[in-house]
Amino acid sequence: MTIPAGPRSPHLGEVLGRWKLIDRAGRGGFGVVFKAQLTAEPCTVAALKLAREPMDARFEREAKLLDAARSPHLPRLLDKGEWLSPDGQSYPYLVMQWVEGLPLYAVPKVRSFTNASAARALAHVAHALAELHRLEGVHRDVKGDNVLVQADGTAVLVDLGAAWHVGARPLTDTVIPPGTEAYRSPELLRFRRQFRRTPEAHYLSQPADDLYALGVMAYRLVTGRYPGPITDPDTSSAEPPRFLPPGEVATVTVELERLILQMLSEDSGKRGTAVELALALERAAASAGAARLMERPCMRETQKTARPGPRSRHALPAWLAWVGSSALGAALTLAVWTLGTAPRKRERAEEEAPPRADMSDERMTGLADAGVEEIHASTAALPNAGVPTYAIGLPMPKKPLPGQRRPPCGPGLVTLNDGCWAGPIEGERPPCGQGMFDYQDRCYVAVLVPQRQPASEQP
């Protein structure tokens, strides 16, 4: 099904229950996250997650698990309630501990990263999963974007929007549950292939699925890439899945590599339990010393020669960022941006699983995922332009952005604050999606001046 655009979200400054909304922090298929403060104690801040669909029962599941969980590696549930929209519909919201941290995969880019720090963060996630599994629940969307690492190195597993627990009533009629494609377990993919044309078949997620996803996350964390393809379930080959051991790609310690390969075992029974993995990862962290995690030089040279590195995940293609100033260019900008930022179709029975080998981040962004995307994410700017492509719901700037087209704007465009804009974007309401700006309760996209491309490369 297609996730609707959702209600007119509350404006910043509005009060929901005991909480005043002070900032926008994230948005996804199921919810919008605000930073909120307790009205009676303004110094107390929290993350308020508001459903995008009326009476979304996923929030019941998430609230039940978080309320029962007792782990420093899961956000605490502080409050819950319902927001009555102007059209009279009721949207549930949850108020959780505000976690100030970096998404897991961003940590190596800004901090000195060692085998010990990697193993420690993975141990924290394993502890969080152990608590969910103790409660007979599964997260179902374990990935680096759903792990925030605080300044002291403590990792917190967030976004239980796709979680499930024993006794929860079914919410979908798809063959497989929601989740992110690169992290699907081999047994789930085999089930999908076998029953994809049997609508009444439904895969029941298990703790082993979470542990396989933890293995994918660990491999991606230490190597910067995703593991290779699993064994094709349509063949009779008994060969194990083939991908480079992490130690051949990066300077991973033997113990950490062993645990990653264990989590990535195609035999779910060999992955162990979350408790066992958490303790083993803690031992691996203690024995790793100060060994840094770095890509092996041979792999770096091979990639430069055979497969140039991908563009930044959050950067737009150059042709789109600098599309022409004609009406056709403006329409193309709007069409591509709208397609790129529109809510994805979720909770559907997907077709064939794509290969996992060497899946870069921006190749993965088009695949189905679940929950709120990039909670508390920071912004990144477009090359040579001041348009933040990963900002969520920014207010319209009072002056034109660097590189933005100035009036006369031409057909199909609007002039706002001395700049040219495409919009309002159909079906979008604040808080707007990536790279969009709020103006009078509608969403707009900046139109940029095309950049002249050089005739030849510099020597």
Side-chain angles (χ1 to χ4, degrees), residues 315-319 321-322 380-389 400-405 446-454:
L316 288 179
W319 66 266
W322 300 105
L382 264 172
N384 304 316
V387 184
T389 64
L401 298 164
Q404 185 175 3
R405 184 177 170 184
V447 177
L448 308 180
V449 177
Q451 182 184 44
R452 185 180 301 277
Q453 298 296 326

Side-chain angles (χ1 to χ4, degrees), residues 318-326 328-330 332-333 447-451:
W319 66 266
L320 177 55
W322 300 105
V323 70
S325 59
S326 65
L328 175 61
L332 188 58
T333 303
V447 177
L448 308 180
V449 177
Q451 182 184 44

Side-chain angles (χ1 to χ4, degrees), residues 18 83 123 151 155 159 211 232 279 281 288 299 352 375 386 407 435 458:
R18 301 182 298 149
W83 174 66
D159 193 2
L211 300 185
D232 187 343
L279 297 177
L281 286 164
M299 295 302 300
E352 298 296 324
I375 296 179
Q458 295 295 327

Side-chain angles (χ1 to χ4, degrees), residues 60-61 64-65 135-137 164-171 204:
E60 296 176 12
R61 293 178 177 178
K64 182 173 181 178
L65 286 170
L135 298 171
E136 297 185 296
W164 179 87
H165 60 82
V166 173
R169 63 185 179 90
L171 298 178
L204 184 62

Side-chain angles (χ1 to χ4, degrees), residues 34-51:
F34 295 87
K35 188 174 185 179
Q37 62 183 190
L38 193 60
T39 53
E41 301 176 16
C43 291
T44 301
V45 297
L48 188 149
K49 180 177 175 182
L50 176 68

Side-chain angles (χ1 to χ4, degrees), residues 95 252 284 360 386:
V95 183
V252 183
S360 60

